[in-house]
Amino acid sequence: GRVSVKALPRRQRRDLGRVDRRHQALQLRRQRKEAVLAEKRSLGRRDGPPHLVVVVPLHSGAAAHDALRLLQSQDSAVLHVDEGKAGGFVLLCPRLRQRWRFVTAQTGDLHTVLDLAKVADSLLFILDPADGWDSAGEHCLSCLFAQGLPSYALAVPGGTDLPPKKRIDAKKKLAKAIEKRFPEAKLFPLNTEQESSLLLRHLATQKQRHLAFRDRRAHLLAYAAEFVPSQESDQVGTLKVSGFVRGQALDVNSLVHIVGHGDFQMSQVDAPPDPLSLNPRVVKGRKNQDMDVQEDSVNGTDEMEEDVKLLMKADTNKQESLQSEVVPDPMEGEQTWPTEEELQEAEASLKTNRRVVKVPKGTSKYQAAWIVDDEEGSDEDDDDNDDTDDDMMEEAVSQEGESSAEEEELVEEECETMTMSECVRDDQYDEKVEEDEQMLEKYKEERMDEMFPDEVDTPRDVPARVRFQKYRGLKSFRTSPWDPKENLPRDYARIFQFQDFFRTRKHLFRQIEKEETEGASVGWYVTLHVCSVPVSVMESFKEGKPLVLFSLLPHEQKMSVLNFLVRRHPSNSEPVRAKEELIFHCGFRRFRASPLFSQHTSADKHKLERFLRPDAALVVTVYAPITFPPASVLLFKQRSNGMHDLIATGSLLAVDPDRIIIKRLVLSGHPFKIFTKTAVVRYMFFNREDVMWFKPVELRTKWGRRGHIKEPLGTHGHMKCHFDGQLKSQDTVLLNLYKRVFPKWTYDPYVPEPVPWVRSESALPVQEVEME
């Protein structure tokens, strides 16, 4: 009597049988394998871009020039094309159907190394046979590993002049040091042409490591550039950049970011003939002529005999705008006068939702809404104890009335002597050690913040109710509500915000993976016409700096609030205070900003950290252009001499202006007279009005007691407090106040060039000590 169903539900239709699941898994495995093989076959071949290899010498004594000379001298079938000031060369192997482009990056030039590593297919590290790498090489490797390391190879030129026994010892020492930094890496000696051929074969066949922030965006390294000044000014014009498209297809209507210089629009994309063609008929008999052409193209005068084809022109209706900020309207928040019906509705709602709360004199309605009602339900025993404690307190206060004034005078005298000693100490120091003095103060502040987190001294010259009027008390930091749209600063009117950031990101990435973008495909040699570019970009390219371009995804030119999850780098131990100016390397961007530090928790409110903690991961919040994660981030701090120190590394967490960062202040007091569950507390406030103002806020102690203020005693800030248990004489009474803070708008896209890193002796002995 079984009857077959007419229509299967959607869930059952998706379920496959055992054989079908195996077949589907086999198809997916085969597709992934074919994609990896296709990528490996296209890199460096005729249909793909040349294999870009960045040569990075990690030691001042490494023979980088000898290694490059060996790579150039392969055989007669290889064409060498010099690139002039760029410091590199091109290898064309028609017999192997391979082409390489080698670019040299000096270790001391940090920006050049990081920019070239963003677009490099492989990194070739040149090591010293005896010492491996020095301090500058160690700093360079730390930055490269934090940014994201592409495929790499290790080459060791030289070392043949050493005796055989010392050569073996040096090789063992180098292998031991490399094992920690490069596990499962192979050392390639580079002394003969045969060894250079093996190195080239390894570079061509090794598995490529992907960097997510560049694989989803079209990018290119400029092979040639030409600057055409505009009619209005010679300082701004059109920059014609030629290079091979990598990553994704390049659309002319999208924006392009020139690393280190800013965002720009493109007017058109041309397709000139490929200067690095593997066609033997082009290479044969025109070797010298092609070399002259390449030298001219680098200098900016690209004169090719063939006609340049126009690929596409920008459409003004589809082109992305360069608008980065919202122009706020000062009249946007204005309202018209309410009507009589609206006034009656408001009065009726107030009558229905009315509650009676005891508040101090002068409290506004907004502040009264945050005051928590006192719990009236207490035991009879507690009430009896309170009555007896009140009588004992009155006697204690009458006996100690005269002594309290004398004690306050002694406290004032102690404060004066402390301030006088600090002034004398400052006057004794020389002007040359002013930086040491500032660093000492930072160390003291960091140490005090670790020992007494968020504790501040109550001011004597200003009433506490005036000094802390922007702060509020919370019943529970974790569960008490806080509106993220409340009391926003004026800078929030200039930024953009997503309704659902992760949903937008998922939609964009799905479009990149499934839909084919119209434009220049990967591997094409194109010329981009970039509009309104300052002449300084061309000047830096002529000086030998790399010119790297990245296409921007939608909305990535707009300003918002970015949150980075970072961890302190172990090589740096100097205190870093919040709102200090730091240098950010975020994905393909560089900028300067003054960030906020906050705890990384899963709650809806996050406590502000005054210093960058060395033992925990923190969230760094700044105003910056929108960037879609994943993207690595490096935080640098500039010294007075111009050098950049790496202080933290991490990744982009999210773009979220609604992240609530709460600054906490803790006022401390000391128990003066202790009874069963009541105590007299002093030194938290110094006048009666402050005690009445902060009476609704809950108290806690360092030993876990909870309580509240019952009433002030006298006029010098003494107050009677009730707790849930008896206090200890060595306990401390605390009062927590909270305020939301926002980052400062200090975004600056201009980052000055760092001073080259000062090299010292080899870093390998330090590693050996750590390993021991």
Side-chain angles (χ1 to χ4, degrees):
R2 188 173 182 179
V3 180
S4 61
V5 294
K6 295 181 180 179
L8 291 173
R10 182 180 301 175
R11 183 176 180 182
Q12 292 184 8
R13 286 202 306 268
R14 289 183 180 179
D15 292 340
L16 302 176
R18 184 178 180 182
V19 178
D20 294 335
R21 288 198 304 269
R22 284 186 176 181
H23 184 60
Q24 187 181 28
L26 180 63
Q27 285 181 334
L28 292 175
R29 194 159 53 242
R30 191 174 297 164
Q31 289 176 2
R32 287 194 291 265
K33 185 177 180 180
E34 290 177 355
V36 171
L37 290 176
E39 180 188 7
K40 186 178 291 186
R41 289 166 184 162
S42 63
L43 182 62
R45 299 300 178 98
R46 182 183 62 182
D47 298 332
H51 194 131
L52 180 58
V53 181
V54 177
V55 182
V56 183
L58 295 181
H59 196 280
S60 58
H65 297 287
D66 298 340
L68 296 178
R69 194 178 302 110
L70 281 173
L71 292 172
Q72 294 179 21
S73 59
Q74 291 298 311
D75 50 27
S76 59
V78 178
L79 177 66
H80 311 284
V81 182
D82 295 330
E83 290 191 4
K85 295 181 180 180
F89 58 91
V90 175
L91 292 182
L92 301 178
C93 300
R95 181 172 59 85
L96 301 176
R97 290 180 294 181
Q98 283 279 347
R99 50 181 179 174
W100 291 273
R101 182 184 178 188
F102 289 85
V103 181
T104 307
Q106 296 299 325
T107 312
D109 194 353
L110 184 62
H111 285 180
T112 300
V113 174
L114 294 179
D115 291 348
L116 289 175
K118 290 180 176 68
V119 294
D121 296 316
S122 301
L123 294 180
L124 179 58
F125 294 115
I126 307 297
L127 307 180
D128 185 72
D131 298 330
W133 55 80
D134 53 11
S135 59
E138 178 69 22
H139 181 254
C140 177
L141 287 177
S142 300
C143 298
L144 289 176
F145 272 90
Q147 177 180 266
L149 197 65
S151 303
Y152 61 89
L154 305 178
V156 185
T160 57
D161 53 345
L162 295 175
K165 187 175 181 180
K166 290 186 177 180
R167 194 183 308 171
I168 295 175
D169 294 341
K171 188 175 181 180
K172 288 182 179 179
K173 179 183 176 182
L174 189 59
K176 185 179 179 182
I178 286 173
E179 185 179 359
K180 182 179 179 181
R181 183 63 98 163
F182 302 98
E184 300 180 0
K186 183 181 178 183
L187 278 174
F188 287 88
L190 199 58
N191 297 315
T192 62
E193 293 184 6
Q194 184 179 3
E195 292 174 345
S196 64
S197 300
L198 291 176
L199 178 59
L200 282 179
R201 186 182 296 274
H202 173 73
L203 290 173
T205 58
Q206 68 178 347
K207 183 180 179 181
Q208 293 296 314
R209 304 176 67 178
H210 295 274
L211 299 181
F213 74 90
R214 75 177 186 186
D215 288 343
R216 292 189 173 95
R217 299 170 178 86
H219 56 277
L220 61 87
L221 176 64
Y223 185 77
E226 180 185 357
F227 183 78
V228 180
S230 61
Q231 298 179 358
E232 291 81 6
S233 174
D234 296 338
Q235 302 298 319
V236 179
T238 301
L239 183 66
K240 299 179 181 180
V241 184
S242 300
F244 292 90
V245 180
R246 301 171 185 270
Q248 296 288 335
L250 180 63
D251 187 10
V252 69
N253 294 319
S254 63
L255 298 179
V256 66
H257 176 80
I258 302 178
V259 177
H261 299 282
D263 304 334
F264 304 95
Q265 289 180 332
M266 292 180 289
S267 59
Q268 69 181 46
V269 177
D270 298 337
D274 191 351
L276 306 179
S277 176
L278 284 172
N279 191 351
R281 290 176 297 180
V282 178
V283 177
K284 186 176 180 181
R286 294 183 55 189
K287 181 175 179 180
N288 297 331
Q289 184 176 355
D290 288 343
M291 291 176 63
D292 296 338
V293 168
Q294 296 306 320
E295 291 177 359
D296 294 339
S297 65
V298 172
N299 293 331
T301 58
D302 191 1
E303 300 176 356
M304 305 297 293
E305 295 181 359
E306 293 87 355
D307 296 332
V308 177
K309 298 178 182 179
L310 176 63
L311 280 182
M312 63 196 80
K313 276 203 167 189
D315 188 359
T316 55
N317 297 325
K318 298 180 180 180
Q319 197 172 23
E320 289 282 344
S321 172
L322 281 173
Q323 182 185 5
S324 61
E325 300 178 15
V326 179
V327 180
D329 185 7
M331 302 298 293
E332 188 177 0
E334 294 294 327
Q335 297 180 353
T336 57
W337 188 258
T339 60
E340 294 182 0
E341 297 178 356
E342 293 175 347
L343 292 174
Q344 292 176 0
E345 290 179 0
E347 291 178 0
S349 62
L350 289 175
K351 289 179 181 179
T352 55
N353 301 326
R354 180 173 295 177
R355 65 187 180 96
V356 180
V357 181
K358 293 182 180 180
V359 297
K361 186 177 179 181
T363 306
S364 63
K365 294 181 180 179
Y366 176 76
Q367 292 171 333
W370 287 89
I371 295 177
V372 182
D373 295 336
D374 295 335
E375 296 179 0
E376 298 179 356
S378 58
D379 299 335
E380 296 180 357
D381 297 337
D382 295 341
D383 296 335
D384 297 338
N385 293 332
D386 293 342
D387 295 338
T388 57
D389 293 342
D390 293 343
D391 299 336
M392 297 174 68
M393 280 185 185
E394 291 177 359
E395 295 178 1
V397 170
S398 61
Q399 293 176 2
E400 299 293 335
E402 298 178 357
S403 61
S404 61
E406 297 178 358
E407 290 177 357
E408 289 181 359
E409 292 178 0
L410 292 175
V411 172
E412 291 180 357
E413 291 178 0
E414 290 177 359
C415 297
E416 289 179 359
T417 54
M418 290 176 64
T419 53
M420 289 294 291
S421 63
E422 288 180 359
C423 295
V424 171
R425 182 197 62 191
D426 291 339
D427 294 335
Q428 288 176 353
Y429 274 91
D430 221 355
E431 294 181 357
K432 296 181 181 180
V433 292
E434 185 177 356
E435 296 181 2
D436 296 338
E437 176 70 19
Q438 295 176 358
M439 190 61 63
L440 178 63
E441 293 297 327
K442 285 186 180 180
Y443 276 116
K444 284 185 177 181
E445 292 178 5
E446 186 181 25
R447 179 63 177 165
M448 290 296 293
D449 189 59
E450 291 179 2
M451 296 174 61
F452 308 100
D454 302 324
E455 291 192 29
V456 297
D457 295 331
T458 307
R460 303 291 301 273
D461 53 346
V462 181
R465 62 186 182 277
V466 177
R467 170 64 181 82
F468 307 121
Q469 59 185 347
K470 294 183 180 180
Y471 292 81
R472 66 181 64 164
L474 294 180
K475 180 70 176 177
S476 172
F477 182 80
R478 185 179 61 87
T479 60
S480 297
W482 198 302
D483 187 6
K485 304 296 183 183
E486 169 195 346
N487 291 338
L488 296 179
R490 197 171 286 271
D491 290 335
Y492 264 52
R494 303 165 57 185
I495 64 174
F496 291 84
Q497 183 177 2
F498 293 95
Q499 187 173 4
D500 191 343
F501 172 72
F502 291 101
R503 179 179 160 193
T504 306
R505 169 178 170 267
K506 184 178 180 181
H507 178 66
L508 285 177
F509 288 176
R510 188 177 297 170
Q511 284 183 343
I512 294 173
E513 293 176 358
K514 294 184 177 181
E515 299 180 6
E516 294 184 359
T517 307
E518 297 181 358
S521 300
V522 178
W524 289 8
Y525 184 77
V526 297
T527 299
L528 309 181
H529 293 249
V530 188
C531 306
S532 303
V533 179
V535 70
S536 59
V537 180
M538 189 63 193
E539 292 175 354
S540 66
F541 181 68
K542 289 182 178 180
E543 293 174 358
K545 302 291 182 181
L547 190 60
V548 180
L549 284 77
F550 275 85
S551 67
L552 298 181
L553 298 178
H555 315 297
E556 284 196 329
Q557 79 279 9
K558 300 173 183 176
M559 296 290 292
S560 187
V561 178
L562 271 63
N563 300 309
F564 306 98
L565 180 61
V566 303
R567 186 177 288 272
R568 186 70 176 264
H569 196 264
S571 64
N572 189 279
S573 60
E574 294 183 3
V576 180
R577 191 186 303 165
K579 297 183 181 180
E580 280 190 23
E581 186 181 76
L582 300 178
I583 297 172
F584 289 76
H585 287 244
C586 174
F588 52 87
R589 291 187 184 273
R590 284 199 301 265
F591 57 89
R592 293 186 293 175
S594 300
L596 292 179
F597 304 141
S598 60
Q599 293 180 352
H600 179 52
T601 60
S602 59
D604 60 341
K605 295 181 290 296
H606 312 273
K607 194 178 81 68
L608 175 75
E609 291 289 346
R610 289 175 168 81
F611 290 88
L612 186 62
R613 300 293 183 188
D615 54 349
L618 297 179
V619 176
V620 176
T621 304
V622 292
Y623 290 109
I626 294 171
T627 304
F628 290 99
S632 60
V633 61
L634 286 77
L635 269 65
F636 292 90
K637 186 177 180 181
Q638 186 171 356
R639 296 184 191 173
S640 57
N641 58 1
M643 294 178 61
H644 290 181
D645 289 336
L646 180 64
I647 62 170
T649 60
S651 59
L652 177 60
L653 184 63
V655 180
D656 185 14
D658 286 343
R659 180 183 172 87
I660 301 176
I661 304 175
I662 303 297
K663 181 180 180 180
R664 184 181 71 173
L665 284 185
V666 180
L667 303 181
S668 59
H670 303 277
F672 177 45
K673 291 291 182 180
I674 300 175
F675 303 97
T676 53
K677 290 189 178 181
T678 314
V680 178
V681 180
R682 60 180 178 180
Y683 301 149
M684 183 178 289
F685 304 108
F686 299 100
N687 57 71
R688 187 183 184 90
E689 290 77 11
D690 288 344
V691 177
M692 295 297 297
W693 179 266
F694 290 100
K695 184 179 178 181
V697 185
E698 188 181 18
L699 300 176
R700 68 177 181 89
T701 68
K702 289 189 176 182
W703 286 22
R705 296 297 180 190
R706 298 280 177 173
H708 59 274
I709 303 173
K710 293 195 68 176
E711 60 180 353
L713 299 175
T715 60
H716 295 285
H718 291 214
M719 56 187 181
K720 182 171 66 175
C721 304
H722 179 76
F723 296 92
D724 57 357
Q726 187 172 5
L727 295 185
K728 302 293 184 181
S729 59
Q730 61 269 33
D731 202 353
T732 304
V733 182
L734 305 176
L735 184 141
N736 295 337
L737 299 175
Y738 303 94
K739 180 185 73 169
R740 185 179 179 184
V741 292
F742 302 90
K744 292 184 178 180
W745 194 290
T746 56
Y747 171 77
D748 186 4
Y750 173 72
V751 178
E753 290 288 336
V755 174
W757 188 267
V758 178
R759 293 183 179 270
S760 62
E761 295 181 356
S762 170
L764 296 188
V766 178
Q767 293 184 357
E768 289 183 357
V769 172
E770 292 177 356
M771 293 174 68
E772 291 175 0

